């Protein structure tokens, strides 16, 4: 979806939060309505009703991939047609990993025709039957009358189809006693990872952004404080790692309205700067939240901004609507491709649980992991990979038998010696024949350095879940680097070898020195060479 969706379904949700005029729009996600219309969409040659030259707005043509489906109408389909529609819904739900959005009253080419009330009622009834057939539920997100010159009012309806029943309520410890009960009674699971906001713990924040592979980041800004130094730093990290983000301005109950508006204006200025190139979108209504969720998923440049209070609850429901509707940011095709690869699990946390033994937590980067799988873990300090067996798997504190690429979980390893494990290791299939390196090259951009960046300089390197000090051995084609310059640099790890892959994103820091880049080459070594290089 592009800006034309905003024009159609929420002109008040304009970049920068500017005012809008136009018709009204009803949002029924939580049974309420809002008068938040937008300017009429662009004119395009289309159908002509009543012999008058008044052409309707339009959407982009329907895409074959993705979880968005256009339907002109679904009135009394034959049994054969109904089965075909159900199969089509299964495909859209698979593309959206359990969620799909249906635009009723829209042709495949994006032309907004609209339906009369009787036809719309019959179409929604058919859609409900289709959803029941696949074990899903539907929620009407919003409706809009199409600006046609016709005696009969015509409208289009946007419907969210979700694989499990959905009432758009948040389930937490106020409703359930344990995490297991929360998972069982929830229709959508959203995991929040609280990262440190103080500069002292910047390394923890970087580790969270690089190792946990988050779908998106929430940048929290205090309304009474405004943009601080760490705000800019965390914003820069999200941009450097290409993590989509949205902004929440909190504590609005402590400030005057003018103070909140000043903070929002500051954020808009920062987001529009050449280094960001973002389109800020101030969310002030439920309809804005729906539009923001769809555009955020479609365009990496859109940045929704929420202003709320956790004390008074002001506008907190808008954030809940946004999170509820926000679709997965990875499509099913990418997921399938990752699942076809060999197993690779990143070790981020290590525990010892009584009567269970050693447990590791992390994310499955690729492949599929099952209970009983035989894997190898490493590299150890001397560059070896050790055999182990996955005894059991838990996700969201509930037992599961199969773990798929992109999912985070904890794996029980039985009596495997915890002392042999460390953060930054990987557990992979033995067939992968994993390679390790002490020396690697990366194409980098030096974001900031007080003087000149030279050979022999030591930095802390972050690559995925790997975090280790490395020394600059060589800068190709140059003797030194200054802020803003680019080059291919050879690094050497100081402590132990690591498992790296070409193309992996890289971030390094040391004090105020910061840089980003990607791995271009790894110099694979054997376990014996690792011992010699590291002085074992």
């Amino acid at each position: 979806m592009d800006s034309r969706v905003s024009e159609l379904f929420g002109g008040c949700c304009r970049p920068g939060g500017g005012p809008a005029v136009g018709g009204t729009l009803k949002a029924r996600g939580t049974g309420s309505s809002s008068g938040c219309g937008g300017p009429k969409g662009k004119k395009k040659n289309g159908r002509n009703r009543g012999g008058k030259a008044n052409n309707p707005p339009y959407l982009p043509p329907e895409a074959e991939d993705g979880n968005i489906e256009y339907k002109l109408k679904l009135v009394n389909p034959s049994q054969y047609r109904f089965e075909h529609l159900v199969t089509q819904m299964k495909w859209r739900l698979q593309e959206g990993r359990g969620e799909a959005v249906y635009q009723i009253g829209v042709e495949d080419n994006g032309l907004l025709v609209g339906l009369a009330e009787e036809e719309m009622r019959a179409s929604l009834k058919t859609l409900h039957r289709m959803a029941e057939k696949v074990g899903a539920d539907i929620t009407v997100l919003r409706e809009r009358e199409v600006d046609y010159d016709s005696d009969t009012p015509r409208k289009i309806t946007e419907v969210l189809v979700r694989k499990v029943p959905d009432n758009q309520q948040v389930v937490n410890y106020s409703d359930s006693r344990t995490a297991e009960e929360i998972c069982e009674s929830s229709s959508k699971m959203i995991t929040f990872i609280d990262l440190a906001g103080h500069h002292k713990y910047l390394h923890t924040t970087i580790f969270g952004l690089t190792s946990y592979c988050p779908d998106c980041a929430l940048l929290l800004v205090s309304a009474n404080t405004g943009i601080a130094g760490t705000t800019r730093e965390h914003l820069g990290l999200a941009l450097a790692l290409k993590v989509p983000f949205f902004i929440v301005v909190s504590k609005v109950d402590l400030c005057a309205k003018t103070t909140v508006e000043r903070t929002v204006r500051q954020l808009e200025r920062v987001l529009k700067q050449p280094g960001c190139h973002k389109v800020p979108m101030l969310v002030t209504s439920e309809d804005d939240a729906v539009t923001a969720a769809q555009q955020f998923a479609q365009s990496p440049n859109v940045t929704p901004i929420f202003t709320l209070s956790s004390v008074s609850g002001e506008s907190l429901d808008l954030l809940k609507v946004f999170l509820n509707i926000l679709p997965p940011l990875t499509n099913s095709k990418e997921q399938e491709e990752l699942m076809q690869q060999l197993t690779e699990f990143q070790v981020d946390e290590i525990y010892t649980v009584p009567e269970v033994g050693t447990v590791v937590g992390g994310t499955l980067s690729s492949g599929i992991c099952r209970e009983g799988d035989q894997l190898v873990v490493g590299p150890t300090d001397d560059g070896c990979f050790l055999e182990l067996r996955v005894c059991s798997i838990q996700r969201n504190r509930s037992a599961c038998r199969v773990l798929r690429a992109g999912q985070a979980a904890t794996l029980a390893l039985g009596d495997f010696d915890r002392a042999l494990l460390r953060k930054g290791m990987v557990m992979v299939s033995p067939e992968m024949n994993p390679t390790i390196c002490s020396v690697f090259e990366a194409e980098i951009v030096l974001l900031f350095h007080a003087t000149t960046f030279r050979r022999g300089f030591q930095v802390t390197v972050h690559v995925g879940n790997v975090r280790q000090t490395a020394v600059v051995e060589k800068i190709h084609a140059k003797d030194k680097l200054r802020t803003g310059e680019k080059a291919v640099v050879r690094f050497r790890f100081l402590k132990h070898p690591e498992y790296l892959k070409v193309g992996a994103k890289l971030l390094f820091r040391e004090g105020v020195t910061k840089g980003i880049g990607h791995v271009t080459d790894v110099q694979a070594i054997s376990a014996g060479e690792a011992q010699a290089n590291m002085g074992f």
Side-chain angles (χ1 to χ4, degrees):
M1 294 289 176
D2 57 15
S3 60
R4 287 169 287 192
V5 178
S6 181
E7 293 173 354
L8 168 67
F9 269 136
C12 62
C13 189
R14 299 168 64 177
V21 295
T24 58
L25 183 79
K26 296 179 181 177
R28 296 186 179 177
T30 54
S32 63
S33 62
S34 59
C36 180
K40 297 175 184 177
K42 298 179 181 179
K43 303 291 185 179
K44 183 179 180 182
N45 292 335
R47 296 189 176 187
N48 225 341
R49 298 188 181 272
K52 297 182 182 180
N54 187 13
N55 299 322
Y58 65 97
L59 293 177
E62 181 187 70
E64 292 185 7
D65 298 330
N67 69 331
I68 299 176
E69 177 71 26
Y70 296 168
K71 287 298 174 193
L72 179 57
K73 58 183 177 181
L74 300 168
V75 179
N76 297 325
S78 65
Q79 185 61 32
Y80 176 79
R81 172 66 175 161
F82 181 78
E83 293 298 332
H84 174 73
L85 291 170
V86 169
T87 303
Q88 199 174 50
M89 178 176 282
K90 289 179 180 177
W91 163 252
R92 293 299 184 185
L93 287 170
Q94 180 184 342
E95 285 288 284
R97 291 161 67 179
E99 294 181 357
V101 175
Y102 272 67
Q103 306 281 3
I104 308 298
V106 183
E107 289 190 345
D108 289 348
N109 62 3
L111 186 67
L112 306 181
V113 177
L115 297 179
E117 188 172 348
E118 286 287 329
E119 291 180 316
M120 183 60 74
R121 190 181 299 115
S123 296
L124 291 177
K125 184 177 180 180
T126 302
L127 189 66
H128 184 69
R129 287 174 52 213
M130 293 161 53
E132 284 185 331
K133 186 81 172 179
V134 299
D137 198 8
I138 68 172
T139 303
V140 176
L141 296 178
R142 47 191 178 177
E143 299 173 336
R144 181 184 189 271
E145 288 191 3
V146 179
D147 190 19
Y148 260 124
D149 285 335
S150 174
D151 296 334
T152 305
R154 307 179 69 85
K155 62 183 179 181
I156 61 175
T157 302
E158 186 175 39
V159 184
L160 174 68
V161 182
R162 183 168 285 166
K163 189 65 175 168
V164 288
D166 170 39
N167 57 6
Q168 293 202 5
Q169 297 298 314
V170 175
V171 181
N172 53 32
Y173 287 101
S174 64
D175 307 289
S176 307
R177 296 188 175 209
T178 65
E180 291 82 356
E181 291 178 9
I182 292 175
C183 296
E184 289 174 0
S185 56
S186 299
S187 63
K188 181 176 184 177
M189 291 297 302
I190 301 175
T191 302
F192 290 92
I193 303 171
D194 185 15
L195 300 179
H198 196 281
H199 180 78
K200 178 181 178 182
Y201 305 104
L202 181 63
H203 64 282
T204 304
T205 304
I206 296 175
F207 182 78
L209 286 172
T210 55
S211 67
Y212 288 110
C213 306
D215 291 307
C216 57
L218 185 161
L219 185 64
L220 195 63
V221 180
S222 175
N224 57 345
T225 304
I227 298 178
T230 51
T231 305
R232 296 179 183 273
E233 196 161 35
H234 292 174
L235 178 64
L237 286 175
L239 289 169
L241 297 170
K242 296 182 179 179
V243 178
F245 64 91
F246 59 96
I247 299 175
V248 171
V249 179
S250 64
K251 300 182 181 179
V252 298
D253 56 297
L254 297 179
C255 310
K257 185 178 179 180
T258 53
T259 304
V260 177
E261 290 174 348
R262 184 174 67 248
T263 300
V264 171
R265 285 196 301 270
Q266 289 176 347
L267 288 168
E268 289 172 352
R269 282 197 299 269
V270 171
L271 292 172
K272 291 177 182 178
Q273 288 176 352
C276 290
H277 289 297
K278 296 292 183 179
V279 180
M281 179 180 288
L282 183 61
V283 178
T284 58
S285 71
E286 193 171 289
D287 183 67
D288 290 357
V290 175
T291 302
Q294 293 182 342
Q295 293 199 0
F296 182 70
Q298 296 292 328
S299 172
N301 294 326
V302 174
T303 303
I305 301 176
F306 297 83
T307 57
L308 54 82
S309 168
S310 299
V311 176
S312 66
E314 179 184 343
S315 298
L316 197 58
D317 57 327
L318 301 183
L319 182 59
K320 293 177 183 178
V321 170
F322 173 81
L323 294 172
N324 179 58
I325 298 172
L326 187 66
L329 300 185
T330 55
N331 59 45
S332 60
K333 186 177 294 185
E334 294 173 347
Q335 183 80 359
E336 286 293 333
E337 290 176 354
L338 286 174
M339 288 170 57
Q340 297 300 322
Q341 300 175 16
L342 293 174
T343 302
E344 180 182 323
F345 182 87
Q346 295 183 351
V347 177
D348 299 331
E349 303 289 342
I350 305 168
Y351 317 94
T352 300
V353 179
E355 300 181 5
V356 175
T358 302
V359 176
V360 295
T363 305
L364 189 66
S365 304
S366 63
I368 295 176
C369 183
R370 297 180 176 86
E371 282 188 2
D373 279 359
Q374 298 288 340
L375 304 176
V376 294
V377 63
T380 59
D381 288 349
D382 56 0
C384 297
F385 278 79
L386 309 174
E387 294 182 355
L388 55 76
R389 178 177 174 272
V390 178
C391 300
S392 62
I393 304 173
Q394 280 200 352
R395 291 196 66 231
N396 301 315
R397 301 190 184 185
S398 299
C400 70
R401 294 187 178 276
V402 180
L403 185 65
R404 294 176 174 82
Q407 295 179 339
T410 53
L411 312 182
L413 306 181
D415 57 358
F416 191 87
D417 188 359
R418 175 180 173 173
L420 298 175
L421 299 172
R422 60 175 173 79
K423 293 182 181 181
M425 283 185 167
V426 290
M427 294 166 50
V428 299
S429 299
E431 297 84 359
M432 185 180 287
N433 190 23
T435 57
I436 59 174
C437 71
S438 296
V439 178
F440 68 96
E441 293 187 350
E443 183 177 332
I444 68 164
V445 176
L446 189 61
L447 299 179
F448 181 80
H449 189 63
T451 55
T452 55
F453 189 77
R454 298 173 178 270
R455 180 177 178 273
F457 194 77
Q458 293 186 9
V459 294
T460 301
V461 173
H462 298 260
V463 184
N465 64 334
V466 171
R467 181 177 68 190
Q468 191 184 154
T469 303
V471 62
V472 176
E473 281 202 338
K474 182 179 180 180
I475 303 176
H476 290 276
K478 294 184 179 181
D479 294 329
K480 56 189 177 182
L481 286 179
R482 296 185 181 275
T483 299
E485 292 184 341
K486 183 185 295 187
V488 176
V489 177
R490 183 192 301 162
F491 294 94
R492 177 183 292 274
F493 288 123
L494 293 183
K495 294 183 180 179
H496 42 69
E498 299 284 7
Y499 172 76
L500 298 182
K501 292 194 294 187
V502 173
K505 295 177 184 176
L506 172 144
L507 189 148
F508 62 87
R509 62 178 180 85
E510 180 57 44
V512 296
T513 301
K514 294 180 184 65
I516 59 172
H518 64 275
V519 178
T520 57
D521 182 55
V522 294
Q523 297 184 13
I525 58 174
S526 64
E529 291 175 317
Q531 294 181 27
N533 290 340
M534 297 299 172
F536 291 107

